[in-house]
DNA sequence: CTGAAAGCGCTTACAG
DNA sequence: CTGAAAGCGCTTACAG
């Protein structure tokens, strides 16, 4: 493979001149620049990434630390990755993907060995064991997901509290007095998925404040369990006229369940979910929903990370915690409750 | 950050000795080795990846070239990535993930700049424009997906022809005389998804040889279109007693469609699909199916790639094309056809 | 068993 | 406007 030395020799100049001609970091005569460029082109010269990194201490790589959890929802996961990947590409960075189940050690190795200029953490838990490592690393970090302690990192997430409020307020305004909320399984909370109770608590508080009855339940993350559970919940609360879903598996199962119970939305039951629009589209979920916006969150995290990387190490402003405001996309699955006598 | 020089100084030895003591690539007295190790531990020494790469010309990185196509099925995609990721981790490699839509240029940059020791290509097309680049790269390559020309690379895929045959034979043996096959959308073929017609042609041939009528159709890759199409197909072929699915969206939509038509499997209709077991599980698809085995294919590709990388450049055996034999997982959705008079 | 030196391929002050 | 040199942090022949 051609090196900068080969290019310099072919162009009849010094290696430094070849380097400058290619990078444009100091002025070079038009003629020399042309000769160097031609030589580079003809030799098919591409700079060696390792050598450049060693010389500049810039890797132009962003590390993406993901966790492939068994009950993590695959379509959402892939969209986070896509968002990160797309915006890294735009900014000129490559992605180093790590899904080592033992996250802290993997992260430490990556940051210590200087394989990346910055780190994006996915599936962030309330008490995330990767955070202490990230805070003491020299590289900046951006998270998708809100941890208990946000110091030293930039954080991006959906405002799940607002989502919980918005769901309840929407149905309350339509006149519903009794609702059911189906959340992710309880073990998602146990491993630190704070978004589950953030949404649920806000929904419960809002319901209480408005005198709305809200039955909060945890649902399974896979079929057919979740289907059975939905049946049982609808049976147990015959007076409920609205259903809130913070559980993708439940959203996927609901059309069948409603069909089996001969219910239709919104005539018999109003339904509001929380999942990605992409998921809604590919499964044609007919329910109004709050967009989980995984692609957008991935993008935001990378954008901010790149800003930090490129302003480093001085002009780094205060760290941000950006919770995006839920938007309820109306798919017509909510309406005033049916009359019951 | 501590360098090997810092470690050497702290241990009172030369840098070379420190390096050898840590790598074990030449014998070092027990006492010196202990001193060096302790110094490394106390200083929190981790070798600089770029420097090591420059010195050894080994990156310990595998490039993963994916394509995020709009109608690519997300759960399958993520599982390929997981398979690759898991086995890379086991082998001690990191993953450089590229999803640049302009694949050939991205691949060329990655291989030319020596960012990886080997390359895995996902979503391989019949005529894949990344293949010429990969063949002329110095790094070995492994593909998931069967291209028209397999020279110079190792190839892994499901045996889609055998899958098509197996599906038809299975239903023929049960006594079915008229079947419907729903494939992926036609534009998947157009962009090079050869597996669509590989399965379809084999199914058609097998059916013809056995005197079975097979109606082959392309289906949409998303709802609600595919649902409508399934209805139309079942309507158009009232004599069909078996349904073959090579289309994940169709598999996801079918339970609802059958419900709507008051059909049940296998009493009214025998159904066989082809998708990943993981997908079947998370959506509880009640149909017997041939496992697409994305995780396993990803693993196989990496395993072989690592073998090539580590035997390079001499002892590289002939390239392999490994088509894994479809396994029909019986979920009880097939039976002899109902009597029709 | 250990050390001093060269070299991997870049970039970037330092000189002219 | 250009060149010769140093240095990034490793590894690995070459000497002893």
């Amino acid at each position: 493979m051609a090196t900068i030395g080969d290019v310099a020799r072919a162009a009849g100049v010094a290696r430094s001149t070849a380097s400058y001609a290619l990078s444009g970091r100091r002025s070079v005569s038009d003629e020399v620049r042309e000769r160097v460029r031609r030589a580079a082109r003809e030799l098919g010269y591409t700079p060696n990434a390792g050598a450049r990194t060693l010389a500049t201490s810039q890797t132009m790589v962003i590390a993406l630390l993901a966790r492939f959890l068994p009950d993590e929802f695959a379509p959402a996961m892939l969209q986070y990755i896509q968002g990160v990947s797309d915006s890294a590409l735009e900014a000129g960075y490559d992605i180093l993907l790590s899904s080592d189940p033992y996250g802290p050690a993997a992260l430490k190795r990556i940051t210590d060995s200087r394989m990346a200029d910055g780190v994006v953490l996915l599936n962030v838990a309330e008490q995330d064991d990767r955070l202490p490592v990230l805070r003491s690393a020299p590289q900046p970090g951006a998270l998708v997901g809100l941890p208990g302690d946000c110091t030293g990192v930039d954080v991006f997430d959906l405002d799940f509290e607002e989502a919980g409020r918005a769901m309840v307020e929407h149905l309350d305004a339509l006149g519903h007095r009794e609702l059911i909320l189906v959340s992710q399984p309880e073990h998602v909370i146990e491993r630190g998925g704070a978004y589950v109770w953030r949404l649920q608590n806000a929904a419960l508080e809002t319901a209480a404040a408005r005198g709305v009855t809200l039955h909060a339940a945890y649902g399974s993350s896979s079929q057919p369990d979740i289907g059975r559970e939905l049946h049982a919940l609808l049976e147990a609360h015959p007076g409920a006229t609205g259903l809130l879903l913070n559980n993708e598996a439940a959203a996927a199962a609901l059309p069948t369940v409603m069909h089996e119970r001969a219910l239709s939305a919104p005539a018999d039951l109003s339904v509001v979910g929380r999942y990605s629009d992409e998921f809604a589209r590919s499964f044609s979920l007919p329910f109004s929903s709050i967009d989980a916006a995984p692609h957008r969150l991935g993008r935001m995290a990378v954008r901010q990370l790149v800003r930090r990387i490129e302003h480093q190490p001085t002009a780094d402003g205060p760290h941000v915690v950006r919770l995006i405001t839920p938007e309820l996309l109306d798919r017509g699955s909510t309406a005033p409750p049916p009359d019951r006598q």
Side-chain angles (χ1 to χ4, degrees), chain A:
Chain A
M1 207 76 236
T3 70
I4 188 85
D6 299 327
V7 173
R9 196 171 321 115
V13 297
R15 281 156 64 216
S16 52
T17 303
S19 175
Y20 285 121
L22 259 19
S23 72
R25 296 179 70 83
R26 90 176 176 192
S27 50
V28 167
S29 73
D30 289 359
E31 194 228 319
V32 166
R33 190 180 327 110
E34 233 354 275
R35 283 217 311 274
V36 171
R37 282 195 184 155
R38 178 141 32 85
R41 200 175 337 109
E42 284 168 4
L43 294 170
Y45 170 71
T46 304
N48 179 296
R52 176 172 276 182
T53 292
L54 190 55
T56 61
S57 36
Q58 286 197 181
T59 62
M60 298 308 288
V61 168
I62 287 172
L64 175 59
L65 278 269
R67 285 181 150 144
F68 294 142
L69 301 163
D71 52 9
E72 199 66 40
F73 209 63
M77 189 70 197
L78 193 69
Q79 277 200 278
Y80 285 118
I81 295 177
Q82 273 185 246
V84 168
S85 179
D86 292 349
S87 45
L89 183 66
E90 281 167 26
Y93 287 78
D94 285 298
I95 297 284
L96 189 77
L97 175 70
S98 166
S99 60
D100 193 327
Y102 189 44
L107 179 56
K108 180 156 173 44
R109 183 180 59 79
I110 288 170
T111 53
D112 279 359
S113 66
R114 297 294 200 281
M115 300 187 75
D117 297 332
V119 177
V120 172
L121 251 46
L122 250 41
N123 320 88
V124 173
E126 170 81 359
Q127 303 286 343
D128 200 296
D129 52 5
R130 300 167 299 181
L131 269 175
V133 176
L134 184 54
R135 287 204 188 89
S136 63
Q139 295 97 338
L143 319 191
V144 177
L146 178 66
D149 175 2
C150 293
T151 57
V153 291
D154 293 306
V155 176
F156 301 86
D157 202 358
L158 182 69
D159 188 339
F160 280 91
E161 270 142 21
E162 187 52 38
R165 276 192 289 273
M167 286 171 149
V168 172
E169 281 169 5
H170 177 75
L171 291 181
D172 176 42
L174 288 169
H176 294 262
R177 313 273 74 211
E178 184 175 351
L179 308 173
I180 301 172
L181 165 63
V182 181
S183 298
Q184 307 268 83
E186 208 156 3
H187 59 97
V188 171
I189 299 191
E190 278 155 22
R191 68 151 196 259
Y195 64 95
V196 177
W197 56 254
R198 279 197 279 143
L199 188 147
Q200 180 173 300
N201 287 356
L204 283 167
E205 275 169 29
T206 308
R210 301 187 163 226
V212 171
T213 304
L214 177 66
H215 308 287
Y218 300 107
S220 299
S221 57
S222 71
Q223 326 283 351
D225 296 353
I226 184 64
R228 274 198 299 271
E229 291 160 13
L230 287 171
H231 273 293
L233 282 166
L234 292 169
E235 214 120 291
H237 307 294
T241 56
L243 187 54
L244 313 181
L245 304 175
N246 187 23
N247 179 323
E248 279 107 336
L254 189 59
T256 303
V257 169
M258 288 183 68
H259 203 97
E260 286 163 357
R261 305 185 73 77
L263 296 176
S264 69
D268 308 301
L269 188 67
S270 284
V271 181
V272 184
R274 188 238 93 229
Y275 38 75
S276 78
D277 278 358
E278 155 76 14
F279 176 59
R281 219 173 307 125
S282 75
F283 288 88
S284 190
L285 297 178
F287 311 121
S288 298
S289 70
I290 286 175
D291 184 10
H295 192 276
R296 186 171 156 214
L297 286 165
R299 288 188 85 88
M300 290 172 77
V302 169
R303 292 252 178 91
Q304 175 70 9
L305 187 62
V306 168
R307 256 177 254 134
R308 290 250 178 244
I309 290 170
E310 301 187 347
H311 285 226
Q312 265 210 343
T314 47
D316 52 345
H319 288 276
V320 307
V321 177
R322 204 100 71 201
L323 299 183
I324 68 180
T325 306
E327 282 173 40
L328 184 65
L329 187 67
D330 190 351
R331 291 196 183 84
S333 64
T334 63
D339 290 337
R340 311 197 172 227
Q341 45 272 353

